[in-house]
Amino acid sequence: NAGVTQTPKFRILKIGQSMTLQCTQDMNHNYMYWYRQDPGMGLKLIYYSVGAGITDKGEVPNGYNVSRSTTEDFPLRLELAAPSQTSVYFCASSDSGTGGSYEQYFGPGTRLTVT
Amino acid sequence: ELKVEQNPLFLSMQEGKNYTIYCNYSTTSDRLYWYRQDPGKSLESLFVLLSNGAVKQEGRLMASLDTKARLSTLHITAAVHDLSATYFCAVDLSGNTGKLIFGQGTTLQVKP
């Protein structure tokens, strides 16, 4: 199993451009998450999904959109990129797990710079 | 608003020494996670603590949870250089969807 995969690994955007960060998991997990990590900080939840067709906002959703049409894929869309969106983006997935653990498995991350 | 605070934020220690990282959180939750992150890498799950009094150990690391005190600890025994990394605790906000609030992280540097 590949686990959670993310593309691209790195990207530089100009202010105002748009892009989609891809996330795919092959563990048949119902739950998927997008986080951002700013330098020297912990992760902040952007959006999450509890199953195909169901998404909801996390702590910092402004400037982002998501969709979940399949169990495997959970793309994150940035519209009108701003320098404040320069960050490392992590996708994660989980299921309810043993005893309801909801243990999350993280992808390798996408490092995004907006200039 | 749920806040998760770790201390210390930076810890430099000698090999062979013991130390504890503390994770305090501000509202009721009985589900807490510890992760490790190496520089430039992703997060690796270390421990999942699901109830008051839970204790888990893996090698030189031991984690515990006191939900009444809203406190988790990560204890390092006889540190070795390979444990150098940043450690995050995270608390489940929702109880059944895995919406996590992360602490700021504790960067551990173990010197030979």
Side-chain angles (χ1 to χ4, degrees):
Chain A
N1 286 350
V4 180
T5 57
Q6 293 182 237
T7 57
K9 287 186 169 50
F10 303 94
R11 182 73 185 269
I12 298 175
L13 279 183
K14 294 190 183 303
I15 294 171
Q17 287 185 322
S18 301
M19 76 165 293
T20 299
L21 281 67
Q22 302 292 345
C23 175
T24 300
Q25 53 94 6
D26 63 359
M27 297 175 282
N28 202 33
H29 285 169
N30 284 324
Y31 302 87
M32 295 188 74
Y33 313 86
W34 274 106
Y35 294 91
R36 60 176 287 173
Q37 183 180 30
D38 298 330
M41 302 295 287
L43 279 68
K44 290 190 183 297
L45 183 64
I46 305 171
Y47 271 95
Y48 69 101
S49 169
V50 301
I54 307 170
T55 64
D56 204 353
K57 297 177 181 179
E59 284 181 275
V60 290
N62 292 344
Y64 306 95
N65 279 298
V66 293
S67 60
R68 182 103 181 266
S69 57
T70 67
T71 299
E72 296 78 19
D73 300 308
F74 190 39
L76 177 71
R77 178 85 178 158
L78 278 71
E79 305 282 0
L80 299 175
S84 60
Q85 293 178 305
T86 294
S87 191
V88 180
Y89 291 84
F90 289 102
C91 178
S93 72
S94 74
D95 61 14
S96 54
T98 303
S101 69
Y102 296 93
E103 184 176 11
Q104 294 184 23
Y105 298 87
F106 284 80
T110 295
R111 187 174 298 272
L112 175 67
T113 302
V114 182
T115 62
Chain B
E1 180 189 349
L2 174 63
K3 291 186 179 179
V4 180
E5 295 183 338
Q6 291 181 232
N7 73 84
L9 298 183
F10 182 79
L11 178 56
S12 180
M13 57 193 298
Q14 296 292 127
E15 278 193 331
K17 298 292 187 183
N18 303 333
Y19 210 83
T20 300
I21 299 170
Y22 298 89
C23 174
N24 292 272
Y25 54 99
S26 62
T27 193
T28 302
S29 177
D30 58 2
R31 196 186 302 262
L32 189 137
Y33 306 80
W34 283 97
Y35 289 92
R36 168 182 172 145
Q37 186 178 38
D38 292 309
K41 301 293 186 182
S42 186
L43 278 75
E44 173 191 355
S45 178
L46 294 174
F47 299 109
V48 179
L49 303 170
L50 298 180
S51 61
N52 186 42
V55 178
K56 290 197 173 179
Q57 182 164 5
E58 180 73 34
R60 300 174 187 274
L61 301 178
M62 183 174 71
S64 66
L65 178 61
D66 182 343
T67 60
K68 293 178 182 176
R70 299 177 185 172
L71 171 69
S72 180
T73 60
L74 181 66
H75 187 73
I76 303 152
T77 301
V80 293
H81 180 69
D82 284 352
L83 290 179
S84 298
T86 298
Y87 294 85
F88 292 96
C89 64
V91 175
D92 190 329
L93 187 62
S94 67
N96 64 354
T97 58
K99 288 175 64 177
L100 299 184
I101 302 296
F102 279 78
Q104 315 97 301
T106 296
T107 298
L108 174 64
Q109 183 182 75
V110 181
K111 298 180 179 178

